[in-house]
Amino acid sequence: MPILVITGTGTEVGKTVTTAAVAASARAAGRSVAVLKAAQTGVGPHERGDADEVARLAGPVTTAELARYPDPLAPATAARRAGRPAVRPQAIAEAAGKLAAEHDLVLVEGAGGLLVRFDEAGATLADAAELLRAPVLVVASPGLGTLNTTELTSRELRSRGLELLGVVIGSWPGSPDLAMRCNVTDLPDVAGAPLLGALPEGAGSLTPADFRTRAPGWLAARLDGTWEAEAFRNRAQA
């Protein structure tokens, strides 16, 4: 798995912090890591973007960003408003391929959900994943509504013949409600793929040292971690 595409079921589901956790776990396992942010929106030219945040939390990783647009909008809309070129799937695939030649793992982080548009032709992160033939990791929220958005995302991936590696809950609260506890069991069923981790709420606020130490405990072995789905389900339903 030299390239892994990371998407979310929507915005604000913990995608960047999850990307950082995957990077930190891979580094702890002795792997070199690169993080590619296909299109960064809502950030000024001298501000820190998502790739910078991944590097802050995970430690030394190679970061790359293909485009940056100031408005916090979908990349296609943000590019149009800024009067700048849009990011094409081929450019994402080429950049990821070059990074993969020099790193053990390349994490390609999208913007928002799987089908958020990157250009005026309607190209999406899914199109880049198709070009790369790379597996996709889906970051989901734990609460009401997540089953629908997770299943829709997984169906789209399957319709394109793409591999859904699994689902990670991007922010798990200390006191989950009934829906959240039930979703731990139901998410793998609707996704047709395993639950591969759950990050604690506020993980991104930890010190980088604590984050790197704890990250492998939030992710399953498939992601270089020690987290176990069955034990997590038992704790959630207790």
Side-chain angles (χ1 to χ4, degrees), residues 7-157:
T7 190
T9 55
T11 59
E12 304 300 324
V13 295
K15 186 171 68 273
T16 296
V17 180
T18 298
T19 300
V22 175
S25 295
R27 289 192 63 250
R31 305 169 72 190
S32 60
V33 181
V35 177
L36 173 63
K37 182 69 177 181
Q40 176 70 64
T41 64
V43 175
H46 302 298
E47 295 178 306
R48 295 176 61 85
D50 291 344
D52 298 313
E53 179 65 4
V54 172
R56 183 185 73 84
L57 290 170
V61 298
T62 299
T63 60
E65 190 181 275
L66 294 186
R68 176 175 288 211
Y69 311 111
D71 291 327
L73 303 167
T77 307
R80 184 178 69 245
R81 285 180 52 83
R84 299 176 187 171
V87 176
R88 311 292 182 186
Q90 187 62 46
I92 299 172
E94 289 176 358
K98 289 178 181 177
L99 290 168
E102 300 177 350
H103 298 81
D104 299 320
L105 177 64
V106 178
L107 304 176
V108 181
E109 183 185 344
L114 180 68
L115 297 184
V116 168
R117 296 189 170 198
F118 275 77
D119 65 19
E120 67 281 359
T124 69
L125 186 67
D127 295 305
E130 282 190 84
L131 291 173
L132 289 165
R133 305 310 302 172
V136 179
L137 181 68
V138 172
V139 182
S141 61
L144 282 173
T146 195
L147 299 181
N148 179 63
T149 53
T150 300
E151 184 162 3
L152 288 171
T153 302
S154 64
R155 286 189 181 190
E156 179 65 21
L157 290 169

Side-chain angles (χ1 to χ4, degrees), residues 209-230:
D210 284 345
F211 186 92
R212 295 165 201 172
T213 298
R214 295 177 59 182
W218 305 329
L219 301 170
R222 189 69 180 87
L223 296 171
D224 296 308
T226 60
W227 181 90
E228 295 182 355
E230 184 175 358

Side-chain angles (χ1 to χ4, degrees), residues 142 172-182 184 201 232 235-238:
W172 182 256
S175 299
D177 60 25
L178 176 61
M180 294 174 181
R181 296 196 302 273
C182 291
V184 171
E201 188 175 55
F232 180 76
R235 290 196 302 272
Q237 295 168 2

